[in-house]
Amino acid sequence: MADLHEQYAIHPFPELRGHGLRLRSWDAESDVDVATWLRGLSDPEFQRWNTPLKFIRDIDGARESLRARAESAERGTAVAFCVTDADTGTPLGHIGVNDIDYVAGCARVGYWVLPEARGRKVATRALLLAARYAFTDLALHRLELGHAVGHDLSCRVAERCGFAYEGTLRGAMFAAGRHDAFRDVHLHGRLATDPEPTAPDLAEGRLR
């Protein structure tokens, strides 16, 4: 019998297409990908709403972070996608299916969008693709999405993608830029049995 490592390893790494996007793996050996990853994590808007366990401040740290993401995929505990434009391949942001628990059939999703790609429903379109992958390819039952209270844009993305608001988790997230203070989190959830939302109309021209 294969051990858990072999049973749940994300291999080969998937490539997802749809809604005008291509979701591919991040490449820790690509200078472009590493620079993009660093730029995304250094963006003031990202840092306002997210406080990683380990701060990424330079190229070496970004490369190490991406390598850790690849190792998580090999263990089957997370999948990290670089969100790109389907036609040009231009990186637009990131989306991850994290903390995968195959026994309980659940995982958590997280995402960010580069400054120049905002206002085009990139997060919404990417989350719809990632959720479909998690429910079909990974056969998960439940996905959770948490964001800091006050992050109204992320709240709207969650709701557009069928993640119902389920309550407030008190002190469940680090405060901005700190590991010694906490803030509340809005919890959203979606089940595999929930209806799949309608994707944004790419012809609207108002595509976050």
Side-chain angles (χ1 to χ4, degrees):
M1 178 182 294
D3 61 20
L4 288 179
H5 178 94
E6 289 296 327
Q7 183 178 354
Y8 295 126
I10 310 298
H11 181 76
F13 197 97
E15 181 178 289
L16 311 181
R17 288 181 177 268
H19 312 318
L21 301 176
R22 172 187 171 225
L23 275 56
R24 60 165 177 83
S25 62
W26 288 94
D27 183 358
E29 307 314 313
S30 163
D31 291 342
V32 172
D33 274 17
V34 172
T36 301
W37 183 255
L38 178 59
R39 190 159 63 89
L41 299 188
S42 302
D43 175 58
E45 187 69 8
F46 172 87
Q47 294 184 350
R48 177 185 179 190
W49 300 112
N50 302 274
T51 305
L53 283 172
K54 182 177 181 180
F55 295 116
I56 308 301
R57 306 188 188 280
D58 54 33
I59 287 293
D60 289 340
R63 196 179 302 277
E64 179 183 347
S65 175
L66 281 183
R67 286 173 176 160
R69 295 275 177 163
E71 291 170 359
S72 293
E74 290 178 1
R75 292 193 301 269
T77 58
V79 192
F81 294 101
C82 178
V83 180
T84 71
D85 183 276
D87 294 327
T88 66
T90 302
L92 305 173
H94 159 78
I95 190 161
V97 181
N98 309 308
D99 301 326
I100 301 172
D101 183 337
Y102 290 99
V103 176
C106 64
R108 298 180 67 85
V109 292
Y111 48 80
W112 49 259
V113 176
L114 291 169
E116 67 272 18
R118 292 172 187 152
R120 297 161 51 191
K121 291 190 171 66
V122 170
T124 297
R125 293 184 282 148
L127 181 54
L128 288 172
L129 282 177
R132 181 185 297 169
Y133 164 75
F135 288 135
T136 55
D137 294 50
L138 299 183
L140 298 179
H141 166 67
R142 173 180 169 83
L143 291 177
E144 295 183 351
L145 188 161
H147 64 80
V149 171
H151 195 351
D152 296 337
L153 182 57
S154 196
C155 217
R156 291 196 295 272
V157 169
E159 291 172 349
R160 281 199 297 259
C161 293
F163 286 74
Y165 170 68
E166 297 182 340
T168 299
L169 305 178
R170 295 177 300 155
M173 178 184 287
F174 287 129
R178 300 177 62 180
H179 289 153
D180 61 349
F182 301 88
R183 53 185 162 179
D184 295 347
V185 170
H186 276 175
L187 176 66
H188 297 257
R190 180 175 155 190
L191 303 180
T193 52
D194 290 339
E196 184 168 359
T198 302
D201 185 353
L202 297 180
E204 284 183 355
R206 295 189 299 275
L207 300 175
R208 169 135 153 129

